[in-house]
Amino acid sequence: MILVLKNLLNADELASIRADLGPQAPWIAGASSAGGQAVTQKNNQQLAQDSALAIRLQQRILQAVQADPLFFSAALPHKIFNPLFNSYSGQANHYGPHIDGAILHSRQTAERVRTDVSCTVFLSEPGDYDGGELTMHDTCSAQSLKLPAGSAVLYPGTSLHEVRPVTRGQRLASFFWIQSMVRSDEQRRLLFDLDMNLLKLRQQHGENAETTALTGTYHNLLRMWADT
Ligand code: NI
């Protein structure tokens, strides 16, 4: 499932984050943290993840994303990898097709996180750069996203994906991974659909015997499929 979360950060918050992520920020070569295959594809800059700035901004990103109830419903988070930040511009302007490592070790939390769900939070306005689409490939098709600043996309960690070359301007983003309580994308999708449609049924008809029963079904499926 690919899901867009909208308006997670307002214009003032975005301007402040972008100012913090100016040329003075502790940017390092993105390839320094890529695995064997990915390192051949990765040509961007990344914020030094142990820097005081990164740690401060991580909190803002996590607060913004977790404030959206869709995030919990879609990702059913068990562990969240500390958000990272990247920049694509000039010569360091793309990240070719790759699959993210299945298990990542967070130095900050000293935890291993299985990358069930990937999240990218767009921080630059689409009009401020050319290219830079997040493109997810399937066997015979591809889907490209270039979202407004302050919006995020959740997509399966199993996706072959890339960031297309930025040919003008700068693309700033935050990205991180979620280990879900429900490992299977298919099962998470079923739970998400059930949850969203129950919400609508309640809005239309109020609580009734059927919504109560289906809420029971939701929780019983979650109990069957979830690990905590
Ligand atoms: Ni990636």
Side-chain angles (χ1 to χ4, degrees), residues 91-186:
Q91 296 300 306
N93 61 21
H94 71 278
Y95 193 167
H98 66 282
I99 289 194
D100 299 332
I103 310 285
L104 299 178
H105 181 256
S106 166
R107 291 204 299 263
Q108 276 174 29
T109 60
E111 278 185 323
R112 287 193 168 78
V113 177
R114 193 182 61 230
T115 56
D116 297 324
V117 181
S118 299
C119 181
T120 297
V121 183
F122 289 74
L123 299 173
S124 298
E125 291 297 350
D128 290 344
Y129 59 98
D130 289 335
E133 297 86 359
L134 172 64
T135 300
M136 287 153 278
H137 297 271
D138 207 334
T139 45
C140 61
S141 63
Q143 183 165 1
S144 289
L145 287 175
K146 186 167 173 175
L147 298 178
S151 292
V153 59
L154 295 176
Y155 61 101
T158 50
S159 311
L160 180 68
H161 60 279
E162 67 178 306
V163 175
R164 301 288 300 150
V166 170
T167 55
R168 177 189 63 88
Q170 183 187 26
R171 175 197 193 269
L172 292 168
S174 176
F175 62 105
F176 59 96
W177 299 269
I178 300 113
Q179 178 172 329
S180 180
M181 292 186 283
V182 175
R183 186 174 190 156
S184 149
D185 182 54
E186 208 172 357

